[in-house]
Amino acid sequence: MQILITKDCKELPKVLSNIIKKAQSNNFLEKEDIVLLLKSRNNDLLDAANSVRKRYKGESVHLRGLIEFTNICKNSCLYCGLRCENKKLERYRLSEEEILNAVKRTYEAGFRTVVLQGGEDNYYNSDKICRIIKKIKKYDIAVTLSIGERTYDEFKAYKEAGADRYLMRIETTDKSLYKKMHPDMNYENRVECLYNLKKLGYETGTGCLVGLPNQTVESLADDILFFKELDADMVGIGPFIPHPETPLANGNKDNFEMALRVMAVTRLLLPDINIPATTAMESIREDGRIIALNSGANVVMPNMTEQQYRAKYEIYPNKICINDSPDKCINCIKSKILSIGRTIAQSKGFRYDK
Ligand code: 5AD
Ligand code: FES
């Protein structure tokens, strides 16, 4: 995505520094100020996000164990390698026993949150999901679901079964882009799902992709204002990475910097939320997660999926850790976190626990 400087160069540093100050004292910015911050190359934004993170979330980093339990998906998002039209991908589903074994490993590794993520796969109906949640909740561990759009009653049933959090990125708030990217989905329905999750008392995570074809910086500013409006409890920002087996195979590959800036502005506007250093960031930039942890992020989600399934959860190409075991991933990320003077959190890491 193009980064442009639009104001007169001499006065720009001062203008940007005033915007950053305003964001730090009000936790709010007008859209045009957000656009200016995103378009500039000014590193003060990243440093300001880092100091806001330090002030509100401290030095500890929360680890969430990610279990990718099904790569079967009924949808056909244009950017996603799991889209149902991708016939080259070998599909898998984890049995209930395999899921619970992965949860046990996650718990024994000291993690206090497990994230169950999958494609939109109706095989896992409400009864199955609720049964799995109840079994997981025998451990003292928070459960985050990331299984796509469901009805209000389904979300309610998962909550009653013990689910704590739910992740569902809005992906983009540009409605016409949303429609192009998600031929079989509906923007209004996705927004409604997010508000339903909030209403039901979930800690609700959302986020966006950065660098989709024809996505504008103005629409990224709208995405950030949407996170603020929803009062999202978690926001995950990912650079778009073109997947060869999708219609967006020739898309822009160079989206790291802009994703980092969107994440940093999000931290300024929502100072106390949980923000992950995303796997996609590290997949396109060496030490991308460490750079993110120094620019506003306070969460990392190591992959706890068994090695035999990892390569098959190919949302985008060159995903990190696909040849590694869960143990290797845990040790690798822990040592990186400690090397930058941060600590590993021991709590479940809710937005409001300290
Ligand atoms: N590049 C980067 N992120 C992607 N996702 C899906 N496809 C891609 C891609 N090609 C992200 C979506 C989704 C999350 C699980 O993965 O934002 O919400
Ligand atoms: Fe599965 Fe988008 S391709 S939800």
Side-chain angles (χ1 to χ4, degrees), residues 61 63 111 282 287 289-290 293 300 302 326-344:
V61 174
L63 299 181
F111 293 30
E282 183 115 359
D287 279 332
R289 287 178 300 182
I290 294 301
L293 285 173
V300 177
D327 278 351
K328 176 146 186 257
C329 283
I330 297 166
N331 292 331
C332 161
I333 192 64
K334 276 190 179 170
S335 65
K336 283 186 183 183
I337 291 167
L338 298 176
S339 78
I340 55 164
R342 304 277 278 275
T343 56
I344 312 287

Side-chain angles (χ1 to χ4, degrees), residues 74-282:
K74 65 178 165 68
N75 294 333
S76 39
C77 306
L78 261 66
Y79 45 78
C80 184
L82 305 192
R83 66 200 307 269
C84 62
E85 278 87 354
N86 182 6
K87 304 293 180 216
K88 289 206 179 154
L89 184 66
E90 201 185 307
R91 305 284 171 164
Y92 72 88
R93 282 184 181 122
L94 261 56
S95 67
E96 198 175 304
E97 194 188 348
E98 286 175 303
I99 296 174
L100 292 168
N101 282 339
V103 172
K104 185 165 183 279
R105 263 203 321 272
T106 304
Y107 183 79
E108 285 170 355
F111 293 30
R112 289 298 170 261
T113 294
V114 67
V115 182
L116 291 187
Q117 186 171 87
E120 289 205 5
D121 180 359
N122 287 334
Y123 168 82
Y124 298 93
N125 59 23
S126 230
D127 286 350
K128 287 199 180 82
I129 296 288
C130 288
R131 198 169 59 224
I132 294 167
I133 296 169
K134 282 182 193 151
K135 290 192 178 160
I136 298 176
K137 289 304 280 191
K138 297 205 167 122
Y139 296 92
D140 180 27
I141 198 164
V143 174
T144 305
L145 298 176
S146 177
I147 56 175
E149 295 178 21
R150 306 272 166 141
T151 64
Y152 182 89
D153 288 342
E154 285 170 315
F155 288 152
K156 187 160 180 268
Y158 309 153
K159 190 83 189 45
E160 283 164 5
D164 302 279
R165 313 190 186 119
Y166 208 105
L167 303 177
M168 187 189 294
R169 291 187 181 167
I170 190 68
E171 314 292 3
T172 175
T173 56
D174 174 336
K175 286 188 195 167
S176 80
L177 183 61
Y178 188 93
K179 211 168 157 90
K180 279 190 207 120
M181 294 294 117
H182 309 97
D184 34 27
M185 292 160 82
N186 174 285
Y187 179 78
E188 281 72 27
N189 189 56
R190 200 163 185 84
V191 173
E192 191 180 326
C193 281
L194 285 165
Y195 279 92
N196 283 343
L197 289 164
K198 282 294 277 191
K199 192 161 145 196
L200 284 162
Y202 282 93
E203 282 215 338
T204 304
T206 189
C208 63
L209 278 169
V210 177
L212 292 168
N214 300 317
Q215 188 176 31
T216 62
V217 175
E218 286 72 16
S219 85
L220 291 169
D222 283 332
D223 295 352
I224 298 170
L225 290 171
F226 173 81
F227 309 151
K228 179 85 185 164
E229 175 75 31
L230 173 70
D231 191 25
D233 302 295
M234 310 173 274
V235 172
I237 312 285
F240 160 65
I241 305 171
H243 188 299
E245 296 304 326
T246 66
L248 305 185
N250 297 322
N252 186 354
K253 290 192 174 91
D254 188 20
N255 300 309
F256 180 82
E257 262 77 26
M258 187 53 92
L260 199 65
R261 299 187 79 76
V262 173
M263 191 196 79
V265 177
T266 302
R267 170 60 76 201
L268 297 186
L269 266 56
L270 288 149
D272 63 356
I273 66 167
N274 284 315
I275 298 185
T278 55
T279 306
M281 288 188 174
E282 183 115 359

